[in-house]
Amino acid sequence: RLGLERADTAEKALSVIVDLLEKYGQGGNCMESNMAFTYHNSFLIADRKEAWVLETSGKYWAAEKVEGGIRNISNQLSITTRIDREHPELKEYAKSNGWWDGEKEFDFAATYSYVNTARMTTSGGRYCEGYKLLNKHKGSITSEIMMEILRDKESGINMEGGFMTTGSMVSVLPQQPNLPCIHFFTGTPDPAR
């Protein structure tokens, strides 16, 4: 929300978020119950002209500029070796902890995933299923198709049970500046409604 408030482009919003992350960190319980459960965050940041994926682990982060096609995120790190922006100490921190030898190609997801509690048992399947659903409609994704994907319970995109999806958002961002941007939000916790 602060990225939206303080920036007029996707890349500037990325900078706002990583600056706040550096200054304040992240954390806190992700559940209303007494069970302690925290995880780090992934963001899709887009404007009319460009899009970024930002993934975090503590104060460390990596960002990938989306150059076309389809891109999704889920409850796991998905940025691998293609990193367009990164925390200045990202690789050195991994090296100092023995997570990366400094020799082989650096892979953010492989290096930081095991220290990131967001790696839930169903996340890999959920991420892959989301990619499959997006790829099925590649080149012809409408707001209605996107809403259909976000409502999909069988794939795990719309989670039920102990961990539940609590809301979804679909945005239409035309590249033509004279056309309005349109944003759809779920009105209830369950996107299937």
Side-chain angles (χ1 to χ4, degrees):
R1 290 181 183 142
L2 293 174
L4 289 170
E5 174 191 274
R6 298 176 185 185
D8 60 356
T9 68
E11 189 169 13
K12 288 179 186 174
L14 171 77
S15 294
V16 167
I17 295 167
V18 298
D19 289 348
L20 290 168
L21 181 65
E22 180 71 27
K23 188 171 183 179
Y24 299 104
Q26 64 181 317
N29 203 356
C30 300
M31 299 182 74
E32 293 177 3
S33 72
N34 292 332
M35 183 177 96
F37 179 75
T38 61
Y39 66 88
H40 305 290
N41 293 283
S42 296
F43 303 88
L44 288 171
I45 308 167
D47 61 31
R48 291 177 187 262
K49 296 181 181 171
E50 66 181 4
W52 290 81
V53 172
L54 168 64
E55 295 181 338
T56 66
S57 181
K59 73 174 187 172
Y60 300 96
W61 56 272
E64 175 189 325
K65 188 173 182 180
V66 179
E67 297 291 349
I70 56 172
R71 185 65 166 84
N72 65 318
I73 59 174
S74 189
N75 299 70
Q76 71 176 58
L77 298 177
S78 62
I79 295 175
T80 57
T81 58
R82 176 156 176 244
I83 301 172
D84 295 302
R85 288 186 56 190
E86 66 189 58
H87 184 282
E89 298 164 13
L90 179 76
K91 293 175 184 164
E92 194 53 46
Y93 183 72
K95 205 168 156 185
S96 70
N97 281 289
W99 303 336
W100 178 59
D101 63 9
E103 301 287 324
K104 64 182 177 192
E105 186 175 28
F106 183 79
D107 181 321
F108 178 68
T111 304
Y112 278 83
S113 283
Y114 70 94
V115 297
N116 187 337
T117 56
R119 195 172 176 111
M120 294 188 272
T121 55
T122 59
S123 65
R126 188 172 183 237
Y127 174 81
C128 290
E129 290 302 313
Y131 184 83
K132 284 182 203 172
L133 289 169
L134 289 169
N135 201 40
K136 178 180 169 184
H137 300 284
K138 188 176 179 178
S140 61
I141 295 175
T142 63
S143 54
E144 292 82 8
I145 287 172
M146 196 65 222
M147 289 176 201
E148 204 176 289
I149 291 170
L150 292 171
R151 287 182 181 120
D152 194 312
K153 290 189 179 191
E154 188 178 319
S155 67
I157 300 298
N158 185 4
M159 297 189 304
E160 324 181 77
F163 294 99
M164 296 179 66
T165 298
T166 56
S168 295
M169 173 184 170
V170 173
S171 293
V172 179
L173 307 173
Q175 290 183 332
Q176 302 86 347
N178 61 321
L179 295 175
C181 294
I182 302 167
H183 308 281
F184 300 92
F185 299 86
T186 50
T188 66
D190 184 352
R193 293 184 183 165

